[in-house]
Amino acid sequence: MVLLSTGVAVCGSFEFGSCIGYSAPTQAGITKDIGLSLSQYSIFASILTIGGMFGAVTSGHLADYIGRIGTMRISAVVCIIGWLAIYFAKDTFLLCLGRLFTGYGIGVLSYVVPVFIAEIAPKNLRGGLTSLNQLLLVGGNSVAFIIGTLVSWRTMVLVGVLPCLVLLLGLVFIPESPRWLAKVDHQKEFISALQKLRGKDADITQEAAEIQECIENLQTLPRAGFQDLFQSRYIRSVIVSVGLMVFQQTGGINGVGFYASQIFVSAGFSSGNLGTILMGCIQVPITIVGAILMDRSGRIPLLMVSASGSSIGCFITGISFYLKVNLNLSGQGIYMDWLPTLALSGILVYLGSYSIGMGAVPWVMMSEIFPLNIKGVGGSLVTLVSWFGSWAVSYAFNFLMSWSSAGTFFLFSAAGAATLLFVARVVPETKGDSLEEIQESLNSSK
């Protein structure tokens, strides 16, 4: 039942990935059919993140009020409405409105899916199962990259609608989060859900007692508000979670993901199809490796390897663009044939490195590190920061590339190097601990 519940929930992650990946292979078709300028297409691509920010602001309160299952159900319906608006769009307004709706839906899903999985999973499997959120996200991203090069942009809408329908159907058959049920004092449903998740013959007495004890301790605290995040008992959780999201976004993943086709054309390829297909092919297997290693090697080693590789990949890409400009100026164009391949290699190194750690681990830790009484507010803040960073990078990316293609990737490389320092000095290891043990450890080390 844990695996089934996780499988249903990560349909929301697949939806997240397909929404993110939609704009990369469809740019040429949409700009031709609707008649968008480069700046208008930048607005269309990045308005997804505006919707995501609205989703992030409401996600925590929504999940706390109506539960994790109800929140995923609402998000799926909103996404379907958005996709239908894009499909029937004849002008910029309806196109962007649909993109805004899908952004809101996945903004909520980006919070509630990893939280739901973390709350239902046994502690020895929690990291691996929660990282399936990222695996299905890149799966949706990869499918969008690959199929988007083969079909029209309107047909691509089906890639976004299908996981929403599967999610709506699957939610009928899985239990609500036992921790949420305990928090809202639905005792009978809490025991029933936990027993269903652990198996009908499993002894859940100790786990149920630990959850209840934690809930009782939390209920002695006043109702959490935004200002409470900055109390001493929570501040380390906020710094770790927000910091990881900031570095995840400033590494440039949404600039690369949203405008992959354009990057490869700028690097010297005749089209972006080869590059986007290769990007789609490498993300899933590397994310699978990261999911397997999550509960074996731990979170910190994955983050260190990921940040190092991301920095190196961006540096290689930056070197490619730098040499392209300078070899042209010096009249040595004869040596330029290999530069597009160098840029492609750098992007693939960057994307592979990101996929093994920086893609999944910040979301895993966000779902682990906040106690239940502050999880809604804290999770909303972290998700909002992620979506704001996504908007800033995706909107500014075209303008940064116009300023300096090499400089853009050198900035992303520097962000990867800064991530290494942050992880080494600030981020705690949570491998193998229950959610209650993580809270005890954080409180004892503050």
Side-chain angles (χ1 to χ4, degrees):
M1 182 54 73
V2 169
L3 295 177
L4 174 63
S5 300
T6 301
V8 170
V10 294
C11 289
S13 309
F14 190 93
E15 170 66 8
F16 186 175
S18 64
C19 287
I20 293 290
Y22 180 78
S23 63
T26 57
Q27 182 171 356
I30 292 176
T31 52
K32 179 183 177 182
D33 292 351
I34 305 295
L36 302 184
S37 66
L38 179 61
S39 61
Q40 286 176 319
Y41 192 80
S42 293
I43 292 171
F44 166 72
S46 62
I47 203 171
L48 179 85
T49 59
I50 302 293
M53 282 189 270
F54 283 113
V57 169
T58 59
S59 60
H61 292 297
L62 199 60
D64 283 349
Y65 184 68
I66 65 171
R68 288 31 170 162
I69 298 291
T71 301
M72 286 188 276
R73 187 174 289 122
I74 289 174
S75 301
V77 171
V78 172
C79 284
I80 290 173
I81 294 171
W83 281 118
L84 291 176
I86 292 173
Y87 182 83
F88 291 108
K90 302 293 184 183
D91 56 27
T92 306
F93 174 76
L94 194 56
L95 193 71
C96 289
L97 184 65
R99 186 78 165 162
L100 187 70
F101 269 65
T102 58
Y104 178 85
I106 65 173
V108 175
L109 288 170
S110 66
Y111 165 76
V112 73
V113 171
V115 165
F116 174 74
I117 297 171
E119 289 180 352
I120 66 170
K123 64 182 181 181
N124 61 313
L125 298 176
R126 191 182 62 247
L129 290 178
T130 309
S131 65
L132 290 178
N133 171 58
Q134 182 67 18
L135 175 60
L136 269 291
L137 190 159
V138 301
N141 206 240
S142 298
V143 168
F145 280 163
I146 295 169
I147 294 181
T149 63
L150 306 174
V151 302
S152 73
W153 61 274
R154 292 190 196 274
T155 306
M156 267 290 291
V157 166
L158 295 174
V159 175
V161 171
L162 186 59
C164 294
L165 296 176
V166 175
L167 178 60
L168 285 173
L169 178 63
L171 290 174
V172 175
F173 301 101
I174 64 174
E176 179 58 90
S177 161
R179 285 179 167 85
W180 180 79
L181 291 169
K183 182 186 175 187
V184 296
D185 202 27
H186 292 177
Q187 290 301 313
K188 184 178 178 181
E189 293 88 344
F190 158 58
I191 296 297
S192 174
L194 187 60
Q195 190 73 66
K196 189 179 291 187
L197 287 164
R198 297 297 177 258
K200 63 180 181 180
D201 298 322
D203 182 2
I204 61 169
T205 307
Q206 182 177 352
E207 184 177 7
E210 288 176 358
I211 294 172
Q212 287 282 29
E213 182 183 357
C214 182
I215 295 292
E216 288 167 7
N217 290 336
L218 293 174
Q219 286 176 342
T220 63
L221 301 171
R223 183 176 176 82
F226 180 78
Q227 69 279 4
D228 296 315
L229 287 172
F230 304 98
Q231 294 178 12
S232 59
R233 68 166 70 97
Y234 305 129
I235 193 64
R236 191 178 179 204
S237 298
V238 172
I239 291 171
V240 170
S241 299
V242 170
L244 284 175
M245 288 301 180
V246 168
F247 285 116
Q248 182 192 65
Q249 294 303 325
T250 54
I253 186 59
N254 282 296
V256 174
F258 281 27
Y259 305 107
S261 183
Q262 177 190 327
I263 293 170
F264 294 124
V265 171
S266 300
F269 288 99
S270 58
S271 80
N273 288 351
L274 172 64
T276 53
I277 289 172
L278 289 175
M279 286 174 65
C281 290
I282 70 164
Q283 282 184 290
V284 172
I286 293 178
T287 305
I288 290 174
V289 172
I292 293 170
L293 293 176
M294 185 76 70
D295 286 314
R296 297 185 180 183
S297 65
R299 284 59 158 160
I300 302 298
L302 284 181
L303 285 171
M304 299 291 279
V305 169
S306 181
S308 301
S310 297
S311 181
I312 292 168
C314 284
F315 188 78
I316 292 170
T317 307
I319 288 291
S320 168
F321 281 111
Y322 177 81
L323 291 176
K324 181 182 177 185
V325 172
N326 284 273
L327 288 177
N328 257 334
L329 291 175
S330 62
Q332 300 181 58
I334 191 173
Y335 299 108
M336 291 180 59
D337 291 347
W338 54 276
L339 292 181
T341 304
L342 183 64
L344 174 60
S345 301
I347 292 293
L348 294 180
V349 168
Y350 165 73
L351 191 65
S353 300
Y354 174 88
S355 298
I356 204 169
M358 282 303 294
V361 176
W363 293 105
V364 171
M365 298 201 73
M366 181 273 290
S367 68
E368 295 176 326
I369 209 165
F370 287 111
L372 268 174
N373 69 308
I374 204 82
K375 185 170 283 188
V377 179
S380 290
L381 172 65
V382 173
T383 310
L384 176 62
V385 168
S386 175
W387 280 105
F388 179 79
S390 177
W391 169 78
V393 171
S394 61
Y395 185 73
F397 185 80
N398 280 325
F399 302 104
L400 285 171
M401 290 289 282
S402 299
W403 160 69
S404 170
S405 298
T408 300
F409 282 95
F410 287 147
L411 286 173
F412 293 158
S413 179
T419 305
L420 277 173
L421 296 176
F422 178 79
V423 171
R425 297 184 63 87
V426 179
V427 178
E429 182 59 77
T430 58
K431 180 189 74 168
D433 293 336
S434 71
L435 299 182
E436 291 71 31
E437 288 168 343
I438 292 169
Q439 297 313 310
E440 185 178 343
S441 173
L442 286 171
N443 288 332
S444 64
S445 63
K446 67 184 179 180

